[in-house]
Amino acid sequence: MSVQGSSRVITTHRLFEMKQQGEKIAMLTAYDYTMACIIDAAGIDIVLVGDSASNVMAGHETTLPMTLDQMIYHAQSVARAAQNPLIVVDLPFGSYQGNSKEALHSAIRIMKESSADAVKLEGGKEIIESVNRILSAGIPIMGHLGLMPQSIHKYGTYSVRAKEEAEVEKLLEDAHMLEKAGCFALVLEKIPAQLGTRVAKELKIPVIGIGAGNGVDGQVLVSHDMLGLNNTFSPRFLRRYANLYDEMLKAFNNYVADVKSGNFPSENEQY
Ligand code: KIV
């Protein structure tokens, strides 16, 4: 089903202005309608329909199993909710690498079928043909460098990236290449704070960090992680703003106990 295009309040141009004016950009992930409604009400600037849905929604160990159809389903649910923020959708693993025509086809499907505003791709030089082709169709792209979870099997670990000089040079070259190609923003994941600051200073487009320090132009976190829905994932960059795992467990425990004891429903909770 195709959805009519939207005109959300936050645009790629507005994000560019925010960087110029030194106004920090707040971004969070969402994968479903209810969460996106709450995040929108909080005044978020960008909602990312991330392929981290593979981990937090589907329970996979990596983001690789996510399909284009699954991303479109999540994006449609979020787009129905979000009026204000820019909606960015991850192109999933296998939908854009190595074949720029397929990349364009994948990006067009996301834009047509979900009513999102932009797509996000992981990588630099190796995917530049796909980046150029998607941009030539007028589809805004957010780049993603540093730790790139779709390449986990290449690196073998989720540890901090770009600690060695060669990787630093490659990241800087890729960042400039993505900006020159026309990407409207860049995510930097899990790199030294000093490098994050340097990239944000060198680029004109907004740089959004996740574990990239405080010298970048904005921050992104996975909503499920910052809400404390998962009590086992604790990287250093993660600040928990709630402890919903404990809250929800308490509520579920109380419900089970009330049903078992006959305490629910009460007189007032029946017809
Ligand atoms: O998929 C995702 O949630 C992401 C963020 C970690 C930036 O790409």
Side-chain angles (χ1 to χ4, degrees):
M1 185 197 76
S2 81
V3 183
Q4 289 298 308
S6 70
S7 53
R8 296 195 172 88
V9 176
I10 304 291
T11 59
T12 56
H13 179 69
R14 174 73 195 116
L15 295 169
F16 187 70
E17 281 177 351
M18 286 171 79
K19 167 150 184 161
Q20 285 182 323
Q21 292 159 4
E23 194 182 330
K24 294 268 188 179
I25 296 165
M27 170 164 149
L28 281 171
T29 62
Y31 320 102
D32 68 89
Y33 175 82
T34 305
M35 185 84 93
C37 282
I38 304 172
I39 290 173
D40 190 359
I44 206 82
D45 299 305
I46 307 174
V47 173
L48 172 66
V49 184
D51 60 357
S52 48
S54 181
N55 310 106
V56 299
M57 300 297 287
H60 294 296
E61 273 190 25
T62 73
T63 56
L64 275 62
M66 214 60 192
T67 67
L68 188 58
D69 284 338
Q70 287 166 338
M71 289 307 299
I72 289 170
Y73 166 76
H74 287 296
Q76 286 172 338
S77 308
V78 169
R80 274 181 219 117
Q83 310 293 321
N84 197 61
L86 190 90
I87 300 180
V88 181
V89 182
D90 267 334
L91 280 188
F93 176 69
S95 73
Y96 63 96
Q97 298 97 335
N99 182 338
S100 64
K101 284 191 183 159
E102 195 181 338
L104 177 59
H105 177 69
S106 305
I108 286 178
R109 275 202 63 203
I110 285 184
M111 301 299 283
K112 262 187 188 292
E113 296 178 40
S114 78
S115 175
D117 303 301
V119 294
K120 178 163 81 58
L121 280 66
E122 294 180 10
K125 193 175 176 187
E126 15 340 269
I127 59 149
I128 202 67
E129 221 179 285
S130 296
V131 167
N132 284 327
R133 200 179 275 264
I134 293 170
L135 287 169
S136 74
I139 300 172
I141 295 182
M142 175 179 270
H144 183 150
L145 297 172
L147 174 63
M148 293 178 279
Q150 291 180 12
S151 302
I152 182 60
H153 295 303
K154 176 173 170 189
Y155 297 108
T157 127
Y158 287 104
S159 58
V160 179
R161 303 244 55 94
K163 293 213 287 199
E164 308 297 331
E165 195 48 35
E167 211 182 332
V168 170
E169 288 309 317
K170 161 117 177 77
L171 189 145
L172 287 167
E173 196 185 312
D174 283 343
H176 282 281
M177 189 179 285
L178 291 171
E179 173 170 88
K180 199 164 164 223
C183 290
F184 75 92
L186 176 65
V187 164
L188 290 181
E189 182 165 354
K190 228 173 170 186
I191 58 164
Q194 223 181 5
L195 180 59
T197 304
R198 179 170 171 194
V199 177
K201 279 197 177 133
E202 289 188 11
L203 298 193
K204 290 190 179 62
I205 59 172
V207 175
I208 317 286
I210 173 163
N214 203 8
V216 290
D217 306 304
Q219 300 292 330
V220 54
L221 285 175
V222 170
S223 296
H224 288 59
D225 297 339
M226 60 84 80
L227 289 172
L229 276 162
N230 172 341
N231 63 2
T232 52
F233 182 63
S234 310
R236 181 170 170 167
F237 66 77
L238 175 63
R239 184 180 293 181
R240 287 210 175 94
Y241 286 83
N243 189 349
L244 291 196
Y245 180 90
D246 285 353
E247 284 292 310
M248 290 174 73
L249 184 60
K250 200 163 75 186
F252 294 143
N253 276 336
N254 288 341
Y255 170 75
V256 171
D258 283 351
V259 171
K260 300 273 181 199
S261 68
N263 186 34
F264 174 79
S266 67
E267 280 292 311
N268 292 337
E269 290 162 327
Q270 50 192 301
Y271 302 98

